[in-house]
Amino acid sequence: MGAVWAVSKLGEMAHKLMNALVKLLNRAAGSRTPEIAAANSGTTVANFIGMAAAFTAGQAGMVFSPFTVGSMAQIYRINDGTAGLFMSLELAVMALSAIFISVRLNRVSIRGLVLFAWVSMIIGYGQPAVFQSLPALGAARILAGMGTGCLLAVANGTAARCDRSATAFSLMAMTYCAVAMVMLILMPRVIDAWGHEAYFVVLAGLTAVMAPFALLIGRRVQPVRGSMAQNSEGLSGRRFNAIWIFGLLAFALLFLGLNGLWAYTERIASAGGLTYEQMSVAYPIGSFFSVLAALFGGWAILRLGVTRALAIGMVIAIASPFAYLPAGSVAAFALATTMMGFGIVASSVVLRYVLSEIDPSGRLAAGSGAVEALVSATGPGLFGLILLAGGNFVILIFTASAIVLVSYLFSFRPVSFAARAS
């Protein structure tokens, strides 16, 4: 009877989530300007599927970084700190790629860009399973970073131009969290059964499946006319300089602290005595609540206001690193991944919405992918250097929480602006 009740409750919850998703898709129709409305006419749902696919494929390198760091350490017989630096190389290239695309957002060919990203990511993620030398590893990380950066810039920039950008960012985050939940169930079992090389094969396969759907966005992102970025009170003004700089800093520090620690959660769990089979239970639990966090972010902006929505996400994000202190049990580790996943996803949805309110042209939101990648690259490297200098996981936990607290402080001014604008 208990099993029947549990299944019925899960079915009821899934039904509610699907209804919420349909409502979000219906509310996502439209755009900020007549030019884009005409360009996207009749293909709204397809465009949103494309954005979600591009965002999911672009996020793969970051969301699975704990397994990437651990697998590189095992395959190449290098220490955790060195593996973290290779992870940082990939994310640094990802940031540069996203910056390059974001400033050319109105002129790039989406189809050509997606095809390039698709090929480079498959080669970059599949390499460690075939050529196991450190130079080849470095080249592969560069290729993977180029592809993911391209996809993130296109997804974020396109979403920022939608009439309901909060809904768009929420849908994108929901998709990647749902995919991550499934993959986090499979990854530890794949590694246990076939070894760390198989992890990279699965990651390349995920890219091969997801990236082509990004073609549904369309052939080209249309230019926006009459945005803040182009009038006398645009981003070049002194007032807006402070607002957008503070907004990007808040976004950057959120990912610097949490993604830096996230890359070492697999190592923290291993040090606490957890097996990969136990991790395959804990990680998906956190990912499931990340899906809810993405839905919550879009809902909270519309119902609670941007200030309260961010406050809830940030408080959970600041507290989440400390949940890893007693990570010697599945329940404790699952709670920690749940808090971190909910905090970072809910907060990032709100902050991306804030950036889209500051600059409706989409360039600032497109650049957020570059910022996310850059600081995510710095995070594992920074935390790896702390370990190489004699630090331990407890120091990493306190460092992560402090960085996210500073992120929240930087968010006050841009959030205040977005609250007035909306």
Side-chain angles (χ1 to χ4, degrees):
M1 292 296 293
V4 173
W5 179 86
V7 170
S8 66
K9 287 296 180 182
L10 285 174
E12 181 181 345
M13 184 177 296
H15 179 69
K16 290 180 179 179
L17 280 174
M18 288 302 297
N19 283 339
L21 181 59
V22 170
K23 289 180 181 178
L24 282 172
L25 281 169
N26 289 335
R27 296 177 66 179
S31 61
R32 280 196 167 110
T33 64
E35 292 90 346
I36 297 180
N40 291 340
S41 177
T43 59
T44 302
V45 173
N47 286 339
F48 275 89
I49 292 173
M51 282 186 276
F55 188 75
T56 300
Q59 288 277 3
M62 288 184 286
V63 75
F64 301 125
S65 60
F67 297 109
T68 304
V69 170
S71 294
M72 286 191 296
Q74 293 294 323
I75 293 172
Y76 295 92
R77 300 294 187 267
I78 54 180
N79 58 45
D80 293 342
T82 303
L85 293 175
F86 271 106
M87 187 75 242
S88 292
L89 172 64
E90 176 182 335
L91 297 179
V93 174
M94 179 180 175
L96 294 175
S97 176
I99 291 171
F100 180 82
I101 296 302
S102 64
V103 298
R104 294 165 175 79
L105 194 61
N106 298 331
R107 302 190 297 273
V108 295
S109 167
I110 300 301
R111 292 181 180 274
L113 197 62
V114 169
L115 290 174
F116 165 77
W118 188 27
V119 173
S120 64
M121 290 168 68
I122 290 174
I123 296 173
Y125 287 138
Q127 174 274 327
V130 182
F131 303 107
Q132 296 177 2
S133 69
L134 289 180
L137 177 63
R141 303 276 60 78
I142 290 172
L143 279 173
M146 291 171 66
T148 53
C150 290
L151 292 181
L152 274 183
V154 170
N156 286 319
T158 309
R161 295 162 183 241
C162 297
D163 185 39
R164 295 184 181 269
S165 55
T167 301
F169 289 122
S170 177
L171 286 170
M172 285 159 46
M174 282 179 63
T175 304
Y176 105 80
C177 288
V179 172
M181 177 177 65
V182 174
M183 297 306 294
L184 287 172
I185 294 173
L186 297 178
M187 289 301 193
R189 300 179 187 276
V190 167
I191 294 172
D192 259 349
W194 294 290
H196 292 275
E197 291 85 356
Y199 159 74
F200 287 103
V201 173
V202 173
L203 195 55
L206 174 66
T207 299
V209 171
M210 292 298 300
F213 282 98
L215 293 170
L216 294 173
I217 293 175
R219 293 182 178 274
R220 189 175 297 274
V221 177
Q222 299 296 320
V224 173
R225 298 180 175 86
S227 71
M228 283 185 193
Q230 295 170 320
N231 62 30
S232 60
E233 292 185 326
L235 296 178
S236 60
R238 181 177 300 177
R239 175 168 173 256
F240 280 99
N241 273 340
I243 292 173
W244 73 258
I245 289 172
F246 276 39
L248 285 180
L249 279 174
F251 191 85
L253 291 173
L254 171 68
F255 283 90
L256 175 65
L258 294 190
N259 272 8
L261 183 62
W262 174 253
Y264 292 93
T265 54
E266 182 267 346
R267 310 310 289 167
I268 293 173
S270 295
L274 295 185
T275 65
Y276 276 113
E277 184 176 357
Q278 290 173 316
M279 287 183 230
S280 70
V281 175
Y283 274 126
I285 292 174
S287 296
F288 173 75
F289 282 96
S290 295
V291 176
L292 299 183
L295 181 61
F296 169 82
W299 173 85
I301 291 170
L302 300 174
R303 297 299 180 89
L304 304 179
V306 65
T307 304
R308 292 179 181 176
L310 184 62
I312 294 171
M314 278 291 191
V315 168
I316 296 174
I318 292 167
S320 65
F322 295 105
Y324 283 102
L325 287 173
S329 70
V330 176
F333 193 71
L335 175 63
T337 57
T338 295
M339 291 179 63
M340 180 175 284
F342 192 97
I344 194 170
V345 171
S347 299
S348 65
V349 167
V350 179
L351 286 175
R352 282 193 171 95
Y353 168 77
V354 168
L355 294 177
S356 72
E357 286 296 309
I358 296 172
D359 177 23
S361 75
R363 289 178 296 179
L364 200 54
S368 71
V371 171
E372 179 182 355
L374 184 62
V375 298
S376 295
T378 306
L382 173 64
F383 283 34
L385 290 174
I386 292 174
L387 292 178
L388 291 174
N392 54 39
F393 293 137
V394 175
I395 293 176
L396 298 190
I397 286 168
F398 276 88
T399 301
S401 183
I403 291 173
V404 179
L405 175 60
V406 176
S407 165
Y408 188 36
L409 298 178
F410 272 120
S411 73
F412 290 166
R413 189 168 180 180
V415 166
S416 176
F417 170 84
R420 292 195 301 271
S422 58

